[in-house]
Amino acid sequence: MYKGIECKIYPNQQQADIIQMTFGHTRFIWNQMLGMLNERYQNNKALKMLSYCTLSSLIPQLKREHTWLKDVDSVAIQCSVKTLSETFERFFKGFCRYPKFKSRKQHQQSYLSTIRGQNIRLNYNQRYIKLPKLGWVKCKPSVQHIENERIQSVTVKQRPSGKYTISVLVTSENQALTKTGKSVGIDLGVSDFAITSDGHKYPSQKLHLKYQRQLHYWEKRMARRRLKAKATGIDLKDAKNYQKSRQHVARIHEKITNTRKNDIHKITTDLVENYDDIVIEDLKTSNMLKNHKLARSIASQSWHLFKTILTYKCRIYGKQLRCVNPYKTSQYCSNCGYDSGKKALAIRHWTCPSCHTNHDRDINAAQNIRNIGLEQALVK
């Protein structure tokens, strides 16, 4: 089983220069190959797509024409060509869009390098990782859980905030947890992020409100500095004040993303440790975002990210995840099944007219979701 581990790295100035050089060289190879394939297709549309082996055989010729390509990791250049070939394969199968040319003006840059012998290694005691052409780079302690012989590849990235990170792809054994014999239904909400059928509520952090003033402050200055730079004829890449404000905005967004992801990881880990069968609602977020009064709050919850993380954790730890249609789950009584009709969002508690059971709206919906999921499991 493959697993990715992401952590920060702290390169010195010389290492940062090499990283920036590698970004440029891999981008150059990508654009050269893509331009050649586009021209080849325009000249003769009947020709078949070139394979990765054919494309990689053109790299030595490019290195003879551009000797500066030898200054960076050769594996990274090969991986750039392989990624382009795989992107075309996915495009022809209908899984992605047609590949585009890369630009140095993009605020997020990355390159991939696979392991060759001992070119990628870890020093657990001093918290360093060895990368091709970079040598030993200081990193966060989260990579200490990686074993050297399991590393498959490393992706070096620069975030829009200017920080550097790596994503290490490793192979891991099956990590199935002990069975608890419990099942749970989960209702996703806005005021509370997730509500379980057992009555536990995971509160929403409401990060879009927490950082609203900071974002407004720096976004306003970024917009003004952008207009001033254009009025004076300065390229935005060279406008220092604009770049400072852009990085401030990027850091705030990055902090929001990391905080949200950390909270979702804690919730999903708690769920897979305590329950064997987990049932969640299959929400149509695109339809819910049409409600302009709640669109911002709904988008801030990242329900899709929650489902993605919970899916792969259930697969890793040997738990069962089911998605059910949430239709009328907040209307039916979980005790007797009576349909009490549609209710306004302001109604958070109601009493069943049939069995007179007092319900919390969200907990009742979670219990209905669990019951539907268990019924579907019995049918199968």
Side-chain angles (χ1 to χ4, degrees), residues 163-358:
K163 299 177 182 178
Y164 293 97
T165 63
I166 57 172
S167 295
V168 186
L169 180 67
V170 299
T171 55
S172 62
E173 300 292 338
N174 189 6
Q175 304 173 8
L177 297 174
T178 56
K179 301 296 183 181
T180 61
K182 297 181 181 179
S183 59
V184 67
I186 302 173
D187 178 63
L188 301 176
V190 175
S191 57
D192 292 302
F193 177 79
I195 303 94
T196 66
S197 55
D198 296 341
H200 182 70
K201 296 184 178 181
Y202 296 97
S204 174
Q205 293 190 343
K206 299 180 180 179
L207 297 173
H208 65 291
L209 299 177
K210 184 177 180 180
Y211 294 96
Q212 185 176 11
R213 293 184 63 183
Q214 294 184 37
L215 272 176
H216 176 71
Y217 179 89
W218 284 107
E219 284 176 344
K220 182 169 62 175
R221 275 149 185 78
M222 183 178 67
R224 288 176 179 174
R225 293 171 182 179
R226 178 176 176 272
L227 292 175
K228 187 175 181 179
K230 284 198 169 185
T232 54
I234 302 175
D235 187 66
L236 292 180
K237 198 74 176 178
D238 302 324
K240 293 183 179 180
N241 288 335
Y242 168 77
Q243 291 299 330
K244 287 179 183 178
S245 57
R246 183 194 63 78
Q247 286 196 350
H248 271 289
V249 173
R251 289 193 192 105
I252 296 172
H253 281 295
E254 187 175 316
K255 188 171 185 179
I256 293 173
T257 302
N258 293 339
T259 305
R260 181 187 294 120
K261 189 179 292 185
N262 180 64
D263 187 49
I264 292 177
H265 273 295
K266 290 180 179 178
I267 294 173
T268 51
T269 301
D270 183 55
L271 290 173
V272 297
E273 286 179 349
N274 295 314
Y275 301 100
D276 290 345
D277 293 308
I278 303 173
V279 187
I280 62 174
E281 49 185 343
D282 188 14
L283 295 173
K284 303 297 182 183
T285 310
S286 58
N287 295 334
M288 301 177 69
L289 291 176
K290 295 177 182 178
N291 184 345
H292 298 294
K293 295 182 179 179
L294 295 175
R296 193 174 184 183
S297 299
I298 291 172
S300 179
Q301 297 300 90
S302 294
W303 291 332
H304 180 73
L305 178 63
F306 171 78
K307 179 181 177 182
T308 302
I309 294 177
L310 188 60
T311 300
Y312 85 73
K313 285 190 177 181
C314 287
R315 186 171 65 250
I316 291 175
Y317 298 120
K319 300 305 177 75
Q320 184 67 42
L321 177 67
R322 296 183 178 87
C323 298
V324 301
N325 187 357
Y327 180 66
K328 288 188 176 183
T329 51
S330 61
Q331 300 180 21
Y332 289 110
C333 173
S334 58
N335 186 39
C336 65
Y338 179 79
D339 184 0
S340 59
K342 190 174 182 179
K343 305 173 186 62
L345 290 176
I347 300 176
R348 310 314 301 173
H349 294 82
W350 59 281
T351 302
C352 177
S354 178
C355 63
H356 307 289
T357 304
N358 188 25

Side-chain angles (χ1 to χ4, degrees), residues 10-19 134 136-138 164:
Y10 305 93
N12 55 37
Q13 187 58 50
Q14 183 181 0
Q15 292 169 337
D17 292 341
I18 297 175
I19 291 175
L134 298 179
W136 293 100
V137 184
K138 189 176 181 181
Y164 293 97

Side-chain angles (χ1 to χ4, degrees), residues 16-151:
D17 292 341
I18 297 175
I19 291 175
Q20 292 296 330
M21 191 188 304
T22 310
F23 289 155
H25 290 18
T26 54
R27 183 173 61 244
F28 174 81
I29 288 290
W30 173 285
N31 292 340
Q32 287 288 314
M33 293 291 183
L34 180 57
M36 182 267 294
L37 291 174
N38 289 342
E39 184 179 356
R40 180 174 178 269
Y41 176 76
Q42 293 296 331
N43 294 334
N44 189 347
K45 297 183 179 181
L47 294 175
K48 293 184 179 180
M49 173 64 191
L50 296 179
S51 64
Y52 163 66
C53 294
T54 306
L55 291 175
S56 60
S57 64
L58 302 176
I59 296 178
Q61 178 61 29
L62 283 173
K63 285 187 176 181
R64 284 190 291 268
E65 295 177 3
H66 309 282
T67 56
W68 40 267
L69 288 174
K70 301 178 182 179
D71 297 337
V72 299
D73 180 20
S74 60
V75 180
I77 292 178
Q78 293 175 1
C79 290
S80 180
V81 177
K82 186 174 183 180
T83 304
L84 178 62
S85 177
E86 292 174 349
T87 305
F88 269 107
E89 291 178 3
R90 291 176 56 83
F91 166 73
F92 291 131
K93 293 179 181 178
F95 295 150
C96 69
R97 297 180 180 179
Y98 192 84
K100 297 180 179 180
F101 290 100
K102 293 185 177 181
S103 171
R104 65 179 182 86
K105 295 183 179 180
Q106 292 176 342
H107 299 309
Q108 179 163 308
Q109 301 286 342
S110 66
Y111 73 86
L112 171 68
S113 183
T114 56
I115 191 166
R116 297 287 192 277
Q118 295 292 319
N119 64 339
I120 302 174
R121 286 184 292 152
L122 290 172
N123 186 325
Y124 298 105
N125 298 327
Q126 299 180 7
R127 299 176 181 176
Y128 281 84
I129 183 169
K130 186 179 181 182
L131 298 175
K133 291 289 185 178
L134 298 179
W136 293 100
V137 184
K138 189 176 181 181
C139 59
K140 277 285 187 178
S142 56
V143 297
Q144 291 183 345
H145 306 289
I146 307 172
E147 298 180 9
N148 286 335
E149 64 272 11
R150 295 188 175 186
I151 296 177

